[in-house]
Every structure is written in C-alpha cells, then in structure tokens.
Amino acid sequence: MAEERLLENAGKISSSLTKSLLAAALLASCGSSLLYGFNLAVVNSPALYIKSFYNQTFQAKYDYYPDEEQITIMYSITVSIFAIGGMFGALSVGRLVTRFGRKGTLVRTTVLVFIGGALMGLSRTFRLPLMVIGGRFIVGLHSGISLSVVPMFLGEIAPKNLRGFLSLIPSIHICLGVFIAQVLGLHELLGKEEHWPMLLSLIVFPALAQLMLLPWFPESPRYLLIEKGDVHATLTALRLYRNQSNIQLEVEEMQEEQRSLNSIQTISVWRLLTDRCVRWQVLSVVILNIGMQLSGIDAIWFYTNDIFRGAGIQESLIQYTTVGTGAIEVISGILGCLTIERVGRRPLIIGGFLFMGICCAGITVSVLFQAQVPFLRYISVACVVGIIAGFCIGPAGVPFLITAELFKQSHRPAAYTVAGCLNWLSNSTIGFVFPFLEMAAGPYCYLIFCAICLSVALYTIFIIPETKNKTFMEISQMFASKNKMSEDDVNANGHLKLSQMNMNGYGSLGILREK
C-alpha cells in the first residue's frame, strides 16, 4: 500500500511557479551562474592590456624581457587556471552539500568570490601578475562548486512539472554573465587599460547581493526532511515555495522516500565507474560533458575578439560585434528554457550540436576563402553567432539535467563528480591549447570542433533516450539491453522493478528495496 500511495501521490505533486520559487532561483543563479559566465568572457576584452601588464612587470621588477610566446603562455595560464580551480571545486561538492546544505553551501562559498575579486582588483596596484592568476583560480573554485550546487538546489525546491524549466535558469544567467562582461568591456565603459583590474573584480557585487538576500530563503525541503529530519523547517519551506494545497501530499511523499532510503548508501566514484549496470549511462555523461566543452564554445568565448580580428572585421567594430553575439546568447538561452518542457531534452541536444558542427565547418570555409570573396567574412561572423546560439539553446544546460536523470540517488553524487571534473578539465584544456592549436592549424582547427559536435549529436540520436516525464526505472530499463543486463541482474544491483520505484523530483528518488 505504501508503494501504491507513493506512486499515486507523485502523479499529483505539481505546482505553478510562485514568486518565492522564482526569486530563489534567480538569486541562486545570479550569485553563481552569472559569475561563471562573466569570468568566462571577461578576460577577452582586456587581453592586450593584461599581456602588456605581464610584459612591463617582468621588465621593471625582474629585468627580464619575455618573448611573445612566453607572454602567450602566461595569458593562456590566466585563462585556463579558472577551469583548473573549477575542477578542484567540483571535487568538494559532495562533502559541502552534506554538511552545510544546498543553500548553505551557496551562501558560505561567496567568500571565495570576495577573495578572488580583491586579488584581481589589486594586482595592478601591487604589480603582481600572480595575483591575477591566483584570483582567477579562487573564483574558479567558487564556480566549480556552484555550478553543481545550483541545479541541485533548484531541482530540489522545484515541483516535478517545473524541473526542466528551473534547471535551465542557471544557463540563462551564464549567457547573461557573458553578455554583461562584453558590454562592460567596451572601450567607452571599462575597456581602457587603467580599468581592467576593476572590470575583473566586479564579480563581488552579484555575490554580495546573494549573500545579503539568499539567507532569507529556506533550505531545500528535501534536504531538511530526508537528511536532517526537521519536519517543522520542511513545512515552513514548502509553504514559501508551494501552493498551500500541495504541501501535505509532498510531505507524505518525502517521508516515504526518507524511509525507503534508510538502507541505501552513496557509492564512490570508483564504484560508479566499475558498475556494469550503469556503464552506458556513465559513458553518456562522459560524452555529453566532454562534448559540451570541446565543441568549440570555450574557444569562441575566450578568444572572440581574436577570431573576429582574423575574420577581417575592422578593429573599431570588433567590440560591438562581440556585444551583439552576447545578446544572441541571452535570447537563445531564454528560448531553450521556455521550450524544454514542450520539446524534451533530446531535440535540444541533437539540434544544438548539429547546428554548432555546421557553423564550425562554416568558419573554416569562410576564413580560407574570404581573401578571394570578401563577403565571406560576414559568413564567418554569422557562424560564430550560430555556434553561440546553438550552444545556449541546449548543450549549455541540458547535460547538467541529464546527469541527474540518468542515475538514481545513490549514484548521483559520484556522477556529478565525474561530470564536473571532466567538464572543467576539458574547459581548461581548450583555454590553454586553443591559441597554439590555432597557430598550428589555422582555420582548420574548427574542423576538429565540427567532428566533435557531429559525433555527440550522432551518439545522442542512437544511444540517449528521451527522459522528459520518465521515472528513473523507465530510463534504467531503456539502458538495460545496452548494458546487457537481465532484469534479475538489474534488481540485484539495486535497479528495482518499476512498480517499486518512483522519481518524484529532480535528483530525488523514492526507492523501495525488494525483500
């Protein structure tokens, strides 16, 4: 009877978007995802000034005259160290959210933004290039933590019918952060040589807003009840985040989940990687997260001005063209957020990667022949815009959602650790390698990105099923034949019969073990 009631209640648990739910989602994303997008693009506009700062500092303080390649290496380290910090941050997510909660982790880690922002803002004053690199590493730590915690927090405070919509709000803020960095980097604003440290340190203001306002919102109801056993705090949180009529059903559903999870332990990363029950799920997460970063989008974000300069755009127009691409990012992110619950996950991933692949090939062709056909320089700019639009519609946010939906609760923390580390490792690799890859291969380097995008799209077409409105067990059974597991094998490894298991929220599974 308990199983039947759990399944019945889960079907009724839905809610409209309340003001407090939307406010919590916006605040969590503003102080986290927005900063990630800002830090991705903010080093693009003042790149020449930062390189000049490194060169002058070495000459004045150390009487050392670095050549162009050494300055390029230092700038590449400045770009990629952000992602290295993110990888280390991703490794600490599981421990932090268990100890401090989802909202508590977001609030406490804002201190990293203040430290990193101060280092970068004062680097020119103290003439220490290592302060820029150290500041980028520290804000990378913050982004590595928050990029996993924010979707976890939003998924747990969201009703099931709004799971996809809320999960893409952070991706909109990433695009918005990129756009803000591009606008503020204009020469008329903070794009002057004396202002670049201030530009890098502006991240402290969104973090301050989050620190002041987010603590007024309650913690995730699921964390409060299932992990802390605080019924009173859970009811308080649900009253703020939900319509009153849904509270009782959701509390009952979470209590059933709490009882069912008493005997389930969270597995390690090694156990996840060696569990043959989920090998295709693990491979899917690996391909999606590596493909997301190796699609060429990071090269576009980090080196947009250089790409436009190589395409023949006049120097005086490059900064405005870059800002235009940022506006396209925001519009595309909003479009993906509004359509995911209608069209599903697969169309956004497949369509996004296919379109990006075509545009990468278009950049190669247009750059090769633009000397003979001047009009092609505008095609190359259009292809850059197309890559950004294709990415923001789907690949920017859907892989984070898919990572949660392909795994049950006991496997999910390890899956997020693997996904986060691969994501950030790929990010740092592109940031460091792309300038040298472009020097060695020229426009042909974009064919590599084209092949990666098309490969991820084809993999999704043939392997990854649609997960919209699917329970974990339905998804597990879809993968059972690919994993060459019989139903008995699946049950023995903790993947239970459909009638005994229910997914009732983003990343929250009610599992009842077979006796």
Side-chain angles (χ1 to χ4, degrees):
M1 292 300 294
E3 294 91 332
E4 294 175 359
R5 185 169 66 254
L6 182 57
L7 290 170
E8 180 182 355
N9 288 350
K12 298 178 181 178
I13 296 173
S14 63
S15 179
S16 59
L17 184 63
T18 61
K19 292 180 180 179
S20 56
L21 185 61
L22 180 60
L26 293 176
L27 275 174
S29 300
C30 176
S32 303
S33 303
L34 181 76
L35 303 187
Y36 169 70
F38 185 88
N39 283 305
L40 277 179
V42 72
V43 292
N44 184 39
S45 175
L48 294 177
Y49 303 140
I50 294 175
K51 291 179 181 179
S52 176
F53 166 68
Y54 289 166
N55 189 31
Q56 294 173 9
T57 301
F58 275 101
Q59 292 180 19
K61 293 191 68 173
Y62 307 108
D63 195 28
Y64 178 74
Y65 295 82
D67 56 29
E68 183 178 352
E69 183 178 357
Q70 291 171 325
I71 294 296
T72 300
I73 291 175
M74 283 201 65
Y75 179 72
S76 296
I77 292 174
T78 304
V79 172
S80 59
I81 198 71
F82 172 72
I84 295 175
M87 184 174 62
F88 281 100
L91 289 171
S92 64
V93 166
R95 189 174 303 172
L96 290 173
V97 296
T98 300
R99 181 175 180 181
F100 301 115
R102 283 64 166 148
K103 185 202 73 173
T105 298
L106 292 176
V107 172
R108 284 172 170 82
T109 53
T110 53
V111 67
L112 296 173
V113 180
F114 299 129
I115 296 173
L119 286 173
M120 292 185 291
L122 296 173
S123 59
R124 196 164 184 261
T125 302
F126 290 97
R127 303 194 64 80
L128 285 175
L130 284 179
M131 291 180 67
V132 182
I133 297 174
R136 290 274 296 173
F137 177 81
I138 292 173
V139 296
L141 279 175
H142 174 264
S143 291
I145 295 168
S146 62
L147 275 188
S148 293
V149 177
V150 169
M152 191 184 306
F153 176 60
L154 297 186
E156 291 185 358
I157 68 174
K160 186 177 182 180
N161 60 309
L162 296 175
R163 187 181 67 205
F165 170 76
L166 285 181
S167 71
L168 289 193
I169 286 182
S171 68
I172 294 177
H173 279 78
I174 293 175
C175 298
L176 185 60
V178 172
F179 178 63
I180 291 173
Q182 292 166 342
V183 171
L184 293 178
L186 291 173
H187 185 72
E188 293 82 353
L189 298 176
L190 298 178
K192 299 182 177 64
E193 184 170 8
E194 63 269 22
H195 292 155
W196 68 262
M198 182 189 304
L199 179 63
L200 297 184
S201 63
L202 287 178
I203 53 177
V204 300
F205 293 105
L208 181 62
Q210 185 186 77
L211 180 62
M212 294 176 62
L213 298 176
L214 191 59
W216 295 96
F217 289 82
E219 180 58 83
S220 158
R222 292 188 176 276
Y223 173 79
L224 292 172
L225 182 62
I226 297 175
E227 297 192 35
K228 294 299 183 181
D230 192 338
V231 177
H232 176 72
T234 302
L235 292 173
T236 302
L238 286 174
R239 288 191 185 100
L240 182 66
Y241 290 134
R242 298 285 188 274
N243 296 324
Q244 293 291 327
S245 58
N246 294 321
I247 290 177
Q248 187 58 40
L249 283 177
E250 194 157 359
V251 170
E252 291 178 3
E253 175 266 328
M254 285 191 287
Q255 287 175 332
E256 292 287 352
E257 179 180 348
Q258 183 185 32
R259 287 190 287 270
S260 69
L261 293 177
N262 287 337
S263 60
I264 294 181
Q265 296 180 349
T266 301
I267 70 168
S268 64
V269 170
W270 176 251
R271 284 278 306 279
L272 175 76
L273 297 176
T274 56
D275 187 350
R276 60 196 183 104
C277 265
V278 293
R279 53 191 169 191
W280 277 101
Q281 289 96 314
V282 172
L283 181 61
S284 298
V285 167
V286 168
I287 289 177
L288 284 178
N289 282 275
I290 290 181
M292 178 171 61
Q293 297 298 340
L294 299 187
S295 62
I297 188 62
D298 287 324
I300 297 293
W301 273 338
F302 289 149
Y303 304 101
T304 304
N305 287 3
D306 291 338
I307 292 171
F308 287 161
R309 193 175 293 114
I313 304 298
Q314 295 180 18
E315 191 71 31
S316 60
L317 299 178
I318 286 179
Q319 58 178 344
Y320 304 106
T321 307
T322 302
V323 170
T325 64
I328 297 296
E329 293 172 32
V330 177
I331 295 172
S332 301
I334 294 174
L335 180 62
C337 186
L338 294 177
T339 57
I340 187 170
E341 293 296 355
R342 291 186 176 92
V343 303
R345 285 64 162 146
R346 272 169 52 89
L348 293 183
I349 295 178
I350 295 170
F353 276 113
L354 283 177
F355 192 63
M356 291 175 71
I358 293 172
C359 290
C360 285
I363 290 180
T364 298
V365 174
S366 60
V367 172
L368 284 175
F369 297 103
Q370 67 184 11
Q372 293 81 11
V373 186
F375 178 76
L376 287 179
R377 69 181 59 182
Y378 301 105
I379 299 298
S380 65
V381 173
C383 287
V384 169
V385 174
I387 291 172
I388 293 172
F391 179 78
C392 292
I393 286 177
V398 177
F400 293 108
L401 175 61
I402 291 291
T403 300
E405 292 182 327
L406 292 186
F407 296 93
K408 63 180 181 178
Q409 183 161 324
S410 57
H411 289 63
R412 191 168 296 112
Y416 264 113
T417 299
V418 171
C421 289
L422 290 174
N423 198 306
W424 286 100
L425 182 61
S426 303
N427 184 302
S428 62
T429 301
I430 286 294
F432 185 79
V433 170
F434 179 73
F436 304 100
L437 179 64
E438 190 178 35
M439 286 190 291
Y444 292 103
C445 67
Y446 293 98
L447 293 180
I448 299 175
F449 300 139
C450 173
I452 292 172
C453 289
L454 296 181
S455 298
V456 176
L458 288 174
Y459 180 88
T460 305
I461 291 172
F462 292 107
I463 302 297
I464 301 179
E466 179 57 64
T467 58
K468 185 185 75 167
N469 293 329
K470 294 282 196 306
T471 66
F472 160 74
M473 200 58 230
E474 290 173 323
I475 299 170
S476 177
Q477 292 300 327
M478 292 175 185
F479 278 99
S481 60
K482 293 183 177 65
N483 291 325
K484 296 182 180 180
M485 301 291 292
S486 67
E487 186 171 328
D488 291 338
D489 289 332
V490 173
N491 292 339
N493 283 276
H495 292 248
L496 312 179
K497 294 180 180 178
L498 180 58
S499 62
Q500 294 177 298
M501 179 271 177
N502 175 46
M503 177 180 284
N504 38 44
Y506 182 102
S508 297
L509 303 179
I511 305 174
L512 299 172
R513 283 198 177 275
E514 187 176 29
K515 294 184 179 180

